[in-house]
Amino acid sequence: MAHGRRALLGALSALAGGASGQATEEGLLVHARARGLAFGSMVARWQLEDAPGLLRLLRADAAFLAPGLELKWDRLRPAADRFDFRDADFLFDLSAREGFGKIRGHALLWHEALPRWFEPNSDSAAMRRALALHIRTVTGRYAGRVGSWDVVNEPIYQWDHRPDGLRATPFLRVLGPDYVAMILEMAAEADPAARLVVNDYDLELDSRDQAFRRRMMLELLNRLVRRGAPVRALGIQAHLAPRSAPLDPGVLRRFIRDVASLGLKVEITELDMVDRLLPGEPALRDAANAAMYRDFLQAVLPEPAVDTVVLWGLSDRHGWQDDSSGARRKDGLPARTNAYDREMRRKPDWYAIRDALRDAPRPG
C-alpha cells in the first residue's frame, strides 16, 4: 500500500513538471489553437478585482471569456422596469480591449437566476411579454459581440417525473413544453448571428440517472429540430465528480454522435471538478481530478462535433463548490477543482488539460 502511494505521488510530481517553469511555459491556448478548438474560461468581474493576476492567466489560457454571473437575469434586472448592464458591459469592454474573441453568453433563461420581482404564476400572455422584453433587450444589446448563447439552461430534470423529462419551471407550467422553442426563436430574432445553445448538466457519466437525462435531452433536441427551432448546439456542462459514477468513453461518444446526427454542434461549457467524494489529502485529490480531466477530454476531443471547451474558472480561489450544498465537501476542506490553486499556481489538473489538448487529433 505504501509503495502504491509513493508511486502515485511520484507520477503526480512528473505530471506537474515543476511549478517553477510555469512563468515561461506556453499556455493552454497555444495547444487549443493548434487543434482548431475554441477554448475559453468563465470569469466574473469580482474575480478579476479580487485577483489582478488572473487576467495574465486568462491571456495565456483562454481565447474568449464567459461571464459567470453578469448576464444572468437576476443580475441584469434589479427591477421589472430597469436593466443594469454595468457589470456585463465591464466584461464586454475588457474582452474587446484585451483582444479576446467574442463573449460566450451565459445564460438567458435559468430557473435559478430569476429576480425576486419575477411573477412565476402570471398568465401566459404576461409571461410571454416579460420573456420577450428580457430576451430581446439583452441579446439585442450585445448582438454581434456574442459567439454563442446558453439560451435555455438546465431544462431537463428527472425528479419531476415527467414523461418528457422536462423540469417543472414556471415557464413550463405557464407556457407549456414549447417554451424552449419560443425562447430560441426570440433570441434568434434579436441576434441571428449567435449560435444558440441548450445547456445542461449530468450528461457525461455512466449512471442510470445520467442515462435518463441523455435520453430526454436527445428527445428534446429532436423535437426542436423537427419543429425548425433555431437550436445550433448542445452545451454539456461537465461538472465532473470523480468516484460518483464511471466515465465510459464509448457511452459519451455515442451520445455526442447522436447529437451530431441532428446537425448540431457540441460545446463543453462549464468544465471543472467536484471533489466531494475524494480523500482529503491534496496530492491524492489533485491526482484523481487530473486523471478525470485527461480521460474526459481524451474522450470528447476526437469527436468532430465538439468544437468548443470552456473551463468554469481557472483558480480554486474562486471555485463555486464550497458554497454549494450539493458540491461542498463534508470534511469542510476547501475544494481543489480547477487548473490553478488558490495562489494561482498550476496544478496537475492544468498539465492534464494541456496534455489532452496537445495529444488530441488535429483537424482533418
Side-chain angles (χ1 to χ4, degrees):
M1 186 72 175
H3 175 74
R5 182 186 181 91
R6 286 194 299 271
L8 174 61
L9 295 179
L12 181 63
S13 176
L15 177 64
S20 60
Q22 79 173 48
T24 58
E25 188 172 354
E26 292 174 325
L28 299 175
L29 186 54
V30 170
H31 303 287
R33 282 178 169 159
R35 190 196 167 273
L37 183 73
F39 196 83
S41 176
M42 182 274 286
V43 71
R45 179 176 183 172
W46 74 269
Q47 296 172 354
L48 290 162
E49 293 172 342
D50 172 68
L54 179 59
L55 182 57
R56 174 181 55 82
L57 304 184
L58 288 166
R59 292 190 189 109
D61 288 342
F64 61 89
L65 308 179
L69 300 170
E70 289 78 4
L71 291 172
K72 291 174 179 173
W73 194 330
D74 56 350
R75 293 300 183 104
L76 290 175
R77 302 286 298 280
D81 59 352
R82 184 163 63 90
F83 286 82
D84 184 349
F85 290 108
R86 287 175 294 180
D87 288 343
D89 285 349
F90 172 88
L91 287 181
F92 274 89
D93 293 344
L94 173 75
S95 177
R97 186 171 65 250
E98 293 292 333
F100 290 102
K102 290 184 178 182
I103 289 279
R104 187 171 195 284
H106 175 81
L108 283 173
L109 195 67
W110 186 33
H111 63 282
E112 291 192 17
L114 295 174
R116 292 183 179 181
W117 54 261
F118 181 82
E119 177 48 65
N121 299 312
S122 60
D123 60 56
S124 60
M127 186 169 286
R128 283 175 183 268
R129 288 193 298 270
L131 291 172
L133 174 62
H134 184 80
I135 301 301
R136 290 167 181 164
T137 301
V138 176
T139 53
R141 180 182 184 87
Y142 298 116
R145 303 171 69 186
V146 173
S148 63
W149 267 111
D150 288 334
V151 177
V152 178
N153 194 45
E154 301 179 0
I156 301 296
Y157 190 58
Q158 63 271 40
W159 303 115
D160 284 336
H161 304 294
R162 289 177 52 90
D164 58 9
L166 290 177
R167 186 186 293 269
T169 63
F171 325 113
L172 180 72
R173 291 195 298 268
V174 175
L175 300 172
D178 287 341
Y179 85 90
V180 179
M182 182 184 73
I183 300 303
L184 287 161
E185 290 159 1
M186 289 178 181
E189 180 181 351
D191 187 358
R195 175 190 282 179
L196 305 185
V197 181
V198 174
N199 191 51
D200 220 324
Y201 66 93
D202 280 0
L203 300 171
E204 309 87 9
L205 303 183
D206 188 17
S207 71
R208 177 179 295 182
D209 283 347
Q210 296 203 26
F212 175 84
R213 292 175 59 79
R214 286 190 290 271
R215 186 168 67 253
M216 294 298 100
M217 178 57 75
L218 279 173
E219 291 187 9
L220 171 61
L221 295 174
N222 263 295
R223 291 194 299 272
L224 293 170
V225 170
R226 288 198 302 268
R227 174 180 171 141
V231 61
R232 298 293 177 258
L234 168 67
I236 296 178
Q237 290 185 8
H239 297 295
L240 303 173
R243 298 193 182 181
S244 64
L247 172 64
D248 186 324
V251 168
L252 183 53
R253 288 172 181 155
R254 282 194 296 274
F255 174 62
I256 290 172
R257 291 169 189 174
D258 286 341
V259 174
S261 73
L262 302 175
L264 304 179
K265 291 293 188 179
V266 173
E267 299 188 4
I268 308 303
T269 56
E270 303 181 24
L271 178 58
D272 64 6
M273 295 293 139
V274 176
D275 69 351
R276 60 186 174 82
L277 299 179
L278 296 179
E281 185 173 337
L284 296 178
R285 276 195 277 165
D286 289 350
N289 286 332
M292 181 66 95
Y293 273 117
R294 182 194 63 238
D295 293 347
F296 175 77
L297 289 171
Q298 287 179 343
V300 303
L301 290 181
E303 294 301 316
V306 177
D307 65 359
T308 301
V309 173
V310 184
L311 300 179
W312 203 241
L314 289 182
S315 170
D316 293 339
R317 181 184 181 112
H318 303 131
W320 59 274
Q321 291 86 348
D322 294 340
D323 297 320
S324 167
S325 59
R328 72 169 66 102
R329 297 180 57 86
K330 292 182 179 179
D331 58 14
L333 292 173
R336 295 180 61 87
T337 55
N338 297 100
Y340 293 82
D341 67 15
R342 292 169 186 266
E343 287 73 44
M344 304 292 179
R345 296 173 302 203
R346 288 173 179 169
K347 293 163 47 189
D349 311 59
W350 187 96
Y351 292 93
I353 296 167
R354 179 206 61 186
D355 292 349
L357 292 171
R358 184 185 58 196
D359 299 339
R362 295 322 194 242

